[in-house]
Amino acid sequence: MTQGDTFVINGGKELIGKAEIYGAKNAVLPMLAASLLTDEEVEIKNCPNIADIQSMLILLREVGANVYVSGRNIRVRGQARTCDLSPQIEKVMRSSMFMLGALVSTLGEAKITMPGGCNIGKRPLDIHLAGLERLGAVCEQKDGVVTCHANGLVGNKVFMRYPSVGATENLIMAATLAKGKTTLINCAREPEIVSLVELLRAMGANIVGEGTSVVEIEGVDKLHGASVTPCADRIVAGTYLCALAICGGEICLDGIRKREVAQTLFALGKSVETCDDGVFLRARANGLSKSVGRRSQIYGFDDLSEAVACDLTTGPYPLFATDMQPIISAVKCFSTGIAKVKETVFENRFSHLVEMNKLGANVRISGDEALIFRGDLHAGQMQAKDLRGGAALAVFAMGIAGESRVSGAKFVARGYEDFAKSYRKLGADIRLE
Ligand code: UD1
């Protein structure tokens, strides 16, 4: 275990205060790849300071782009001169996959080390590659390396067998400079894709239909510089909301609107209250475990059981986001009702529940379904195995009296800016050790 990789959490504290929400990791990462589509300067504002974005900036510099970081604003200038990327960096994050579309379209070739399986599922690239081949690229996967070559991409109709977020983004990027019209069918519809298209359009791309399942792109000869602000991070905001439902308190989320976290608010039901403009939130009931013994003392009623003991199935947007599943599952462990959670996007996204069971949660997993009953929760040790699972374990421990330890904080740093400090600011007792 490396130093500073364990969250030490003394649970049972209410969360009170204001939290800032920055640009979404999942919008900024493809936007950074899109900046390679022009030799003019692209500026992305309000970026979070997280490990995945740092890794992506290294990849951009490796291919020959100039990258300038000033506070939360990132400026990228210069197209790729090479497609040789360091396999060490590529292996710790999957976003090198976004370089495929931009590199093959501008450089005529792309080479990435196959991201391979990760802790939540196999995550192949077949949809990306099949789509690029429809646009005229020749792709090959051999010994863990993916190579694509093209002598100018040509627009075409592309049907995706599944609405993959990354493949939709890669193919939209590749098609912006292809000759003629591309029609992408069965696209993913996530808000982060809409945000990417806002950048591409500001760069001069001709795109219609983003946010629906059919996106049409009329290729242009050249793209130019632009400056945009990505959509807010609905998963980071949703994590605060779940922590609030578990711990109780009052928080104000700055930088995101109520409709952007509608899915999580719906799943939390009556356990959190929002004000009209959507930034102020209060948990009327909290889910602190019996051992904390404060629930009835503070609020005198139990909204949490009614609110979150409902079934939930993840799926492509607008269905419930798989990235919120581990975190909302943590809330459900505090509910007195029985909840069923079904994970349809990734094959192996329940490892956090196995860890929560070590602290007395009562979760029965069977294939892609988990049945969550109220357990008798106590403090203890858990091991994070992935980014969102790690955040889920941390907010889970915040609701349990006593000292808990969550190792694997490095996974959480991939997507949350100084997680421990942000929650400490709200009154949580959490530190890195
Ligand atoms: C993106 C998000 C990630 C989120 C996921 C699903 C980024 C940087 N990451 O990941 O946080 O969890 O969407 O909302 O935006 N698949 C294939 N073949 C492919 C591509 C995908 O079988 O070529 C499968 C995957 O294995 C997975 C499912 O499709 O089971 C969804 O993956 P996808 O939508 O592509 O997720 P990512 O873009 O990798």
Side-chain angles (χ1 to χ4, degrees):
M1 198 193 318
T2 51
Q3 222 203 339
D5 194 36
T6 299
F7 290 121
V8 181
I9 299 164
N10 259 295
K13 310 281 187 293
E14 280 187 288
L15 301 180
I16 294 169
K18 193 158 120 177
E20 295 281 338
I21 307 297
Y22 305 114
K25 164 179 95 71
N26 288 355
V28 176
L29 290 171
M31 282 180 170
L32 288 170
S35 67
L36 295 175
L37 292 166
T38 174
D39 51 13
E40 294 181 18
E41 188 170 283
V42 171
E43 181 183 43
I44 305 163
K45 296 180 187 165
N46 198 31
C47 298
N49 187 5
I50 52 174
D52 270 12
I53 289 181
Q54 297 305 332
S55 307
M56 188 67 173
L57 297 185
I58 295 174
L59 294 182
L60 290 177
R61 288 187 174 115
E62 281 196 337
V63 298
N66 294 308
V67 177
Y68 313 93
V69 180
S70 153
R72 300 199 165 276
N73 298 346
I74 300 175
R75 290 180 293 129
V76 182
R77 195 186 180 101
Q79 283 179 312
R81 291 192 296 271
T82 168
C83 61
D84 277 328
L85 302 169
S86 302
Q88 309 91 284
I89 295 285
E90 286 184 85
K91 275 190 180 136
V92 295
M93 59 178 297
R94 290 179 47 80
S95 299
S96 55
M97 70 183 180
F98 292 122
M99 309 287 267
L100 277 178
L103 290 181
V104 79
S105 123
T106 53
L107 203 62
E109 59 174 334
K111 186 172 93 185
I112 65 166
T113 305
M114 185 61 191
C118 74
N119 290 338
I120 59 173
K122 292 198 223 77
R123 307 185 86 167
L125 289 178
D126 60 302
I127 305 170
H128 301 243
L129 302 184
L132 290 173
E133 290 199 324
R134 291 282 297 163
L135 301 185
V138 176
C139 305
E140 194 187 21
Q141 280 189 69
K142 207 170 156 204
D143 302 328
V145 176
V146 176
T147 48
C148 299
H149 289 94
N151 193 3
L153 296 173
V154 181
N156 203 347
K157 268 200 174 135
V158 180
F159 175 78
M160 282 177 268
R161 67 167 176 80
Y162 181 89
S164 153
V165 176
T168 302
E169 293 168 335
N170 235 333
L171 295 174
I172 291 175
M173 286 191 261
T176 54
L177 291 171
K179 206 170 162 45
K181 181 175 170 178
T182 297
T183 305
L184 303 175
I185 302 158
N186 199 25
C187 292
R189 295 184 274 162
E190 270 67 3
E192 292 76 14
I193 297 172
V194 175
S195 201
L196 169 67
V197 169
E198 273 165 21
L199 168 65
L200 292 168
R201 204 175 274 133
M203 291 167 71
N206 198 344
I207 304 170
V208 291
E210 74 278 12
T212 77
S213 51
V214 178
V215 178
E216 291 176 320
I217 305 114
E218 190 69 52
V220 294
D221 291 340
K222 203 172 175 320
L223 294 173
H224 52 75
S227 170
V228 291
T229 302
C231 61
D233 200 314
R234 61 195 166 109
I235 310 298
V236 170
T239 307
Y240 280 119
L241 295 179
C242 290
L244 180 71
I246 289 174
C247 299
E250 288 186 6
I251 59 174
C252 175
L253 294 183
D254 217 8
I256 194 153
R257 280 159 300 181
K258 198 160 146 183
R259 64 179 160 82
E260 294 172 273
V261 279
Q263 274 190 348
T264 302
L265 285 175
F266 182 75
L268 291 172
K270 286 195 284 175
S271 61
V272 293
E273 274 183 352
T274 60
C275 71
D276 286 345
D277 64 7
V279 290
F280 171 78
L281 301 121
R282 175 194 298 139
R284 298 184 62 213
N286 64 41
L288 298 179
S289 67
K290 276 194 196 121
S291 51
V292 179
R294 292 173 55 196
R295 181 200 296 254
S296 53
Q297 231 173 296
I298 296 177
Y299 297 107
F301 60 93
D302 186 354
D303 272 353
L304 193 66
S305 56
E306 284 172 52
V308 293
C310 56
D311 295 347
L312 185 151
T313 301
T314 67
Y317 191 86
L319 298 178
F320 194 80
T322 172
D323 285 355
M324 277 309 299
Q325 177 268 110
I327 307 153
I328 202 92
S329 297
V331 185
K332 288 174 184 287
C333 289
F334 291 89
S335 162
T336 46
I338 303 169
K340 185 162 84 181
V341 173
K342 190 173 164 77
E343 172 58 59
T344 75
V345 181
F346 291 107
E347 307 89 332
N348 184 25
R349 204 164 199 180
F350 282 149
S351 66
H352 51 284
L353 296 175
V354 175
E355 296 299 305
M356 289 172 194
N357 275 348
K358 293 181 184 165
L359 269 60
N362 187 357
V363 184
R364 295 171 207 170
I365 300 168
S366 166
D368 62 359
E369 283 185 3
L371 273 182
I372 305 180
F373 302 85
R374 174 79 187 223
D376 196 6
L377 305 176
H378 54 79
Q381 295 205 20
M382 298 179 286
Q383 164 79 60
K385 305 219 167 89
D386 63 89
L387 161 57
R388 305 300 172 189
L393 296 182
V395 299
F396 176 70
M398 282 180 208
I400 301 174
E403 184 179 289
S404 291
R405 300 175 75 85
V406 180
S407 55
K410 66 172 187 291
F411 292 112
V412 179
R414 283 187 41 213
Y416 293 84
E417 182 172 315
D418 208 336
F419 187 92
K421 191 173 162 197
S422 339
Y423 281 84
R424 251 194 332 265
K425 265 176 65 185
L426 297 175
D429 185 345
I430 172 171
R431 65 177 197 278
L432 265 182
E433 197 175 278

